[in-house]
Amino acid sequence: MSSTGEVATFGDELCETLLKSMLSVGFTIPRKNILVTIGPEKDKIDLLENFRKLTDMGYRLYATEGTHQTLKNNGVKSKLLHKIQTHLSPNINEYIRDKKVDLVINIPRSYSPEEITDGYLIRRRAIAANIPLITNKQIAKLLIETLSKYTLEDLEIKSWDEYVS
């Protein structure tokens, strides 16, 4: 687990169950703007089709320089946001502070507790602004698949007996 606490939810399939569990802990479904900042190049390439799916669904992607360039080179539209530790505009700090993004997908290169990286600052600011944050590539992929399949209206509330019978 990447966080504290546990949630048990049930659904008829994995995507439904994921969405129910995320909603139960306060996750909000992004409305239109998603910040993507992916460290390793192989992860950027691996997530390309997922990001393409998001743009096809009408989401607007914002990205840091490296992620933006990879998306652009592969025909996925995004808007460049400058990193937090620069004074260039538009930058990530402004977009998070002003809640111009509804979700942050930040897959770091690695975690280093003694180093304060741009990725670390992005994650801290997203949390402080109460913007949902995804830091795991597999969860990001599954969440994007889920968003393409479900809306809140699609979720059924069932009793325990309906799942175990």
Side-chain angles (χ1 to χ4, degrees):
M1 291 191 104
S2 296
S3 65
T4 59
E6 295 181 20
V7 174
T9 55
F10 297 92
D12 291 327
E13 56 92 34
L14 180 60
C15 288
E16 179 187 7
T17 306
L18 174 75
L19 188 55
K20 285 180 177 180
S21 66
M22 292 181 85
L23 290 169
S24 74
V25 295
F27 178 86
T28 54
I29 295 174
R31 293 180 308 279
K32 61 181 177 178
N33 299 324
I34 299 174
L35 170 63
V36 294
T37 172
I38 313 301
E41 188 65 25
K42 67 178 177 56
D43 289 346
K44 291 173 189 162
I45 299 299
D46 193 30
L47 287 161
L48 273 174
E49 288 309 311
N50 302 95
F51 294 147
R52 187 170 282 114
K53 185 180 282 189
L54 284 173
T55 60
D56 290 346
M57 292 166 41
Y59 287 102
R60 191 172 319 137
L61 299 183
Y62 295 87
T64 50
E65 188 174 348
T67 304
H68 171 74
Q69 194 60 51
T70 299
L71 293 173
K72 182 179 175 182
N73 292 345
N74 290 279
V76 178
K77 188 176 178 181
S78 68
K79 179 177 179 175
L80 172 65
L81 292 183
H82 298 285
K83 292 191 177 186
I84 286 177
Q85 296 182 30
T86 69
H87 298 295
L88 299 173
S89 191
N91 73 44
I92 292 169
N93 194 42
E94 297 166 5
Y95 273 65
I96 290 175
R97 180 193 65 222
D98 298 340
K99 296 196 176 193
K100 292 181 180 179
V101 293
D102 307 312
L103 172 66
V104 174
I105 299 174
N106 174 253
I107 311 299
R109 289 186 199 286
S110 62
Y111 290 101
S112 176
E114 61 278 339
E115 185 178 9
I116 297 179
T117 63
D118 280 319
Y120 171 83
L121 293 173
I122 290 167
R123 292 186 297 277
R124 290 302 315 147
R125 291 206 169 102
I127 291 166
N130 202 28
I131 296 171
L133 171 68
I134 303 295
T135 61
N136 177 282
K137 181 175 71 170
Q138 291 78 15
I139 295 296
K141 286 178 150 190
L142 185 58
L143 176 62
I144 293 165
E145 179 184 346
T146 299
L147 293 174
S148 73
K149 292 171 81 170
Y150 287 96
T151 65
L152 286 175
E153 293 76 29
D154 296 324
L155 298 179
E156 289 185 65
I157 306 300
K158 296 181 180 180
S159 71
W160 168 261
D161 292 337
E162 291 176 273
Y163 287 109
V164 295
S165 57

